Amino acid sequence: MDAAFTEEQHEIRRTLRELLVKRCGPDEVKSAVRTPAGYDTELWQQLAGRLGLPGLALPTAYGGVGCGPTELALACEETGRAVLPSPLIATAALAAPLLLALGSERQRSALLPALAAGELTATLAVPGGQLATALALTGPNDGGWAGGGRAGGIQARRVAREGAAAAARDGGRAVGGGWRLYGEAGQVLNGHTADVLVVAAHTGGFARSRTLLFLVRAEGGSAARTSAESGVPGLLRTRQTAMDETRPQARLELREVPAELLGEGDGEGEGDAAAVVRALAETGVTAATALAAEAVGAADTALARTVAHVQQRVQFGRPIGSFQAVQHRLADLYVRVQAARSAAYYAAWSAGGGPSAPEREGAAEPGVGALALAQALETLREVAAEAVQLHGGIGFTWEHEAHLYFKRAACDELLLGPVHRLRARAAEEAGLFPDGAGERGGSGEPGGVPAPGRTAATVEV
């Protein structure tokens, strides 16, 4: 195994870091998140056009750069350093892999080149705040997380061809497949501006219950439209108030929204649901790797700025960084950051099948993505908390940059955690609990992991 990065990978990192240092300081971040889009659209176009950032992991046949999860993770580490508000994770780590894995050739050719060029943005909409479950990061994704039965979640139903034609005559969009979506999804990353929505919806009722993915095209969504001007009949998009403004989220309300089935066929076959489950799980590995690298970048910068502060802050006639207690705390954080970085890099290498085996892309080791994400999120949380503490009085003010990292740590864990469930899922996938002791709820402890000194058989439920 060759763990060294190539010159091309180093160049991606250097170029992106130089650009973000010039264009994305703490003040620029705070200004960008308060725009209608929630990010600097001009900077995003520059990142897409100059560096091909959203197309890093897409094949060249679809306008991408032709790299893999490792390069995407390196880019995310640099965007994490700047706490960059952008649709990168939603577009490149969530929606694009699903389009590539499940989309028909027509859908890929129509959407992926535009996504790679930054002309369109996309996101994944999962109802009920079940994004982590849908991606198989905190539990198996073969249940009814998209809304089972006749109510709840997002429901999809077929309409007759005549109905679709009538909708087209009335000004609606007659899309292939004749599907309509009804329901609601919250906590959708960049959902208020995404041009392409990949929506997970339940269909089949009780008899043939299954979850499929659908495309809702809302071109022009990123052009600072209001929530009422989504461009799609029946679709209402509202930006939600989130503690971490650098990770904008939205609530989607769908009322008989015309949609197109993602992939070939009419969606009636049982094999489609199994393919969706596999594709979501594989996308979960890519997304976890990218988010882990992003958290490592944020933690590294927060630690560096804290070290710089304690070297300058004088107390009792000497810099506080000269006190042994402070040095021990910073040394512990440094070790944790390096360990999290190693875990994130290994997860990226594993997701790509290793640099010497590109044909194995997606064949990641079981649980490696969830484990790397758990370690990175926990590290960022601890580094951010120590940064607030060691900055003293100014660190406790919302205006100080330390809170950018604190909010990112807290909200990312709420979105994709908690950490103990990520670890429990990784242990389950790795086969550490062959008798089912590690399954969620199987031991009576959070995430199914017995407390120290207690076996699964003795835990009281």
Side-chain angles (χ1 to χ4, degrees):
M1 170 182 174
D2 183 7
F5 292 120
T6 65
E7 182 56 36
E8 181 184 29
Q9 291 168 337
H10 283 302
E11 184 61 27
I12 291 174
R13 168 184 276 168
R14 285 194 299 266
T15 305
L16 184 54
R17 183 178 300 185
E18 291 173 0
L19 180 59
L20 292 179
V21 165
K22 297 177 182 177
R23 294 289 308 275
C24 198
D27 292 335
E28 287 80 5
V29 169
K30 294 174 184 178
S31 298
V33 297
R34 290 172 174 82
T35 62
Y39 60 93
D40 187 343
T41 55
E42 182 180 343
L43 176 59
W44 171 248
Q45 292 299 324
Q46 190 173 359
L47 293 172
R50 176 179 171 185
L51 303 179
L53 205 59
L56 270 180
L58 289 177
T60 55
Y62 297 109
V65 180
C67 296
T70 300
E71 288 77 11
L72 181 60
L74 290 176
C76 287
E77 183 179 358
E78 297 306 317
T79 61
R81 291 180 186 277
V83 202
L84 174 71
S86 77
L88 177 62
I89 293 294
T91 299
L94 291 178
L98 291 172
L99 284 166
L100 185 62
L102 297 176
S104 64
E105 183 58 35
R106 176 184 59 82
Q107 292 168 340
R108 294 175 186 172
S109 300
L111 296 176
L112 289 179
L115 293 178
E119 298 171 1
L120 299 177
T121 61
T123 191
L124 171 64
V126 176
Q130 297 293 314
L131 180 61
T133 302
L135 298 176
L137 294 176
T138 57
N141 63 346
D142 53 356
W145 48 267
R150 299 179 182 273
I154 298 178
Q155 303 296 319
R157 68 178 183 87
R158 288 189 66 95
V159 295
R161 295 279 180 185
E162 294 78 11
R169 289 194 299 270
D170 293 336
R173 294 187 180 184
V175 294
W179 290 90
R180 294 293 182 270
L181 304 182
Y182 191 96
E184 182 176 314
Q187 294 180 291
V188 180
L189 293 180
N190 297 99
H192 64 299
T193 59
D195 303 290
V196 180
L197 303 175
V198 180
V199 182
H202 177 269
T203 186
F206 291 104
R208 306 184 66 179
S209 175
R210 60 197 185 278
T211 298
L212 301 176
L213 296 179
F214 298 86
L215 289 176
V216 176
R217 306 189 190 187
E219 288 85 348
S222 59
R225 288 181 180 267
T226 66
S227 59
E229 298 174 333
S230 63
V232 178
L235 175 62
L236 179 66
R237 306 195 284 182
T238 306
R239 183 175 177 179
Q240 294 178 299
T241 300
M243 184 171 70
D244 180 17
E245 294 178 304
T246 66
R247 191 83 82 192
Q249 301 175 23
R251 183 178 72 253
L252 308 183
E253 298 177 38
L254 303 98
R255 301 293 182 264
E256 298 297 326
V257 172
E260 177 182 357
L261 181 69
L262 180 61
E264 302 282 0
D266 59 3
E268 297 297 334
E270 293 295 335
D272 293 329
V276 167
V277 168
R278 287 194 302 269
L280 284 169
E282 292 174 0
T283 300
V285 177
T286 301
T289 299
L291 285 162
E294 194 178 62
V296 167
D300 190 48
T301 300
L303 178 58
R305 290 180 173 174
T306 303
V307 170
H309 175 77
V310 300
Q311 289 175 337
Q312 299 172 359
R313 179 74 170 93
V314 176
Q315 188 70 291
F316 303 110
R318 56 191 289 194
I320 62 175
S322 64
F323 295 110
Q324 191 176 54
V326 174
Q327 292 176 353
H328 286 175
R329 291 165 71 176
L330 294 174
D332 288 342
L333 294 179
Y334 175 80
V335 172
R336 293 190 66 87
V337 170
Q338 295 306 316
R341 176 178 283 116
S342 296
Y345 286 173
Y346 182 77
W349 179 85
S350 178
S356 61
E359 69 278 1
R360 289 181 55 239
E361 186 168 332
E365 293 184 23
V368 67
L371 193 59
L373 181 58
Q375 187 162 357
L377 291 179
E378 188 173 62
T379 298
L380 177 57
R381 185 209 315 151
E382 295 188 4
V383 171
E386 287 286 5
V388 171
Q389 290 283 338
L390 292 175
H391 274 83
I394 61 172
F396 282 86
T397 61
W398 286 116
E399 293 77 15
H400 194 270
E401 63 192 45
H403 276 275
L404 291 175
Y405 305 98
F406 179 82
K407 294 174 184 177
R408 173 64 66 87
C411 290
D412 274 7
E413 188 170 356
L414 288 173
L415 184 67
L416 293 166
V419 165
H420 71 266
R421 291 193 181 276
L422 289 168
R423 287 201 171 102
R425 176 59 177 168
E428 180 186 343
E429 287 188 319
L432 297 183
F433 303 101
D435 297 329
E439 294 180 2
R440 183 170 52 180
S443 66
E445 296 291 332
V449 181
R454 304 171 71 185
T455 63
T458 61
V459 173
E460 296 181 2
V461 179

